[in-house]
Amino acid sequence: MDNILEVRNLKKYFPQSSGFLKQQIAYLKAVDGISFNIRENETLGLVGESGCGKSTTGRTILRIYPPTDGEVIFQGRDLAKLNEKEMRGVRKDIQMIFQDPFASLNPRMTVKNIIAEGMRIHGVGDRKSRIDRVEELMTTVGLRPEYMFRYPHEFSGGQRQRIGVARALALDPRLIICDEPVSALDVSIQAQVINLLMDLQDEFGLSYIFIAHDLSVVEQISDRVAVMYLGKIVELTDSDELYNNPLHPYTRGLLASVPEPDPKKPLGDVLLKGDIPSPVNPPSGCRFRTRCPEAFAYCMEAEPTFKEYEPGHFAACHLLE
Ligand code: SF4
């Protein structure tokens, strides 16, 4: 399958300033040199604890944050090099679904205007055809079209996320970045939204980047999973392989913290202790060493290389050398 997106050595640093004169004193290295690809019709899960850089990665791909360095090749063009006007055209093809359906929908706009906003901005269709499209999209995501003149507060959390999905679909995108799309929802509603996203992927041939901190949610929807820690990808492989044969101690720690209803499934064997260190001043060598129960002296000296240890299974840990 062809790649729809290739991210090469992507970095996003935020300058940190202090004092009256706002002197720049350091950089917060939220994303620090990550590479991955996404194929047509594929879902790549991006997981890690909060503060690992996964949401910043999504926003930097879409240029909500301009990248500090690296390449974001989408359909053959490097998005990092496009000007604002060129980027506006690309935003039709890459859409985003946000975590909090309560905060991401303008409370003063009707559902019709929320879903049609992108079409209006991009000059797609006339008023009548946009209303027809809103009707069609609401039906597609399981909402009653006659509710299009209602406001977001008149809907439940799950319904609001369906409005967010309809808005993302309005311009026929190729790739959707789903930033923790179910984290704010009840567990029973989470499953409905995930099933909806999977059905839509089959129907429209979409590719997804699915960002989440919860490995069990990511397992359901992802073809492959990338695990992030402190701005780096530490492991990347097929979803089944990651859950059955995790290579990196951090992945094993994340798996150990997932409540597992199936007793036959292997669990991670590493207990994650302590907090994620500051990305302003990450640990030397392996960034995970301050929390890794298997760390040894060399882990402090050299950063492990991210490489392929089994076919299609990449990781960065000195233990695997
Ligand atoms: Fe742990 Fe060392 Fe591997 Fe890092 S390189 S994950 S500290 S064993």
Side-chain angles (χ1 to χ4, degrees), residues 228-304:
M228 276 190 84
Y229 186 77
L230 214 53
K232 298 268 188 193
I233 293 180
V234 297
E235 185 158 6
L236 192 161
T237 187
D238 288 350
S239 187
D240 288 347
E241 169 76 0
L242 187 91
Y243 289 85
N244 291 312
N245 180 29
L247 297 181
H248 196 282
Y250 179 58
T251 310
R252 302 208 314 265
L254 285 180
L255 285 170
S257 58
V258 176
E260 182 49 72
D262 180 353
K264 291 198 286 298
K265 271 197 159 177
L267 283 174
D269 55 354
V270 172
L271 214 55
L272 285 179
K273 284 189 271 184
D275 293 326
I276 194 163
S278 164
V280 175
N281 190 16
S284 63
C286 173
R287 291 176 182 209
F288 185 53
R289 69 172 170 78
T290 53
R291 299 172 73 197
C292 179
E294 300 181 50
F296 53 104
Y298 187 58
C299 302
M300 194 190 291
E301 285 172 32
E303 189 175 333

Side-chain angles (χ1 to χ4, degrees), residues 115-130:
I115 297 175
E117 192 181 21
M119 292 187 270
R120 195 178 47 74
I121 290 171
H122 288 276
V124 175
D126 56 16
R127 213 169 163 275
K128 163 83 176 66
S129 67
R130 288 199 287 265

